[in-house]
Amino acid sequence: MRPPGDTIVAYTLDRLGRNLREVLKLVHDLGEKGIGAHNHAITTHRAVSML
């Protein structure tokens, strides 16, 4: 995993998980560790409300 403060960039959400539940869990778990996730349609950071 990446150190806190980093951001993971995925070009499409299907690259992050096999279904929406997996993607949401991954984004949540990354946020808990201070790691942001960026997609062309969705951007999350620790300061932003969780999905």
Side-chain angles (χ1 to χ4, degrees), residues 1-21:
M1 270 301 162
R2 311 293 300 167
D6 277 0
T7 300
I8 292 177
V9 177
Y11 291 101
T12 60
L13 290 176
D14 66 338
R15 307 314 302 163
L16 295 176
R18 291 176 288 213
N19 56 52
L20 181 59
R21 185 172 296 211

Side-chain angles (χ1 to χ4, degrees), residues 7-45:
T7 300
I8 292 177
V9 177
Y11 291 101
T12 60
L13 290 176
D14 66 338
R15 307 314 302 163
L16 295 176
R18 291 176 288 213
N19 56 52
L20 181 59
R21 185 172 296 211
E22 269 188 21
V23 172
L24 292 175
K25 182 178 180 338
L26 176 63
V27 170
H28 177 268
D29 292 347
L30 290 171
E32 290 286 313
K33 296 176 183 178
I35 301 170
H38 178 76
N39 176 276
H40 289 287
I42 299 173
T43 302
T44 63
H45 296 281

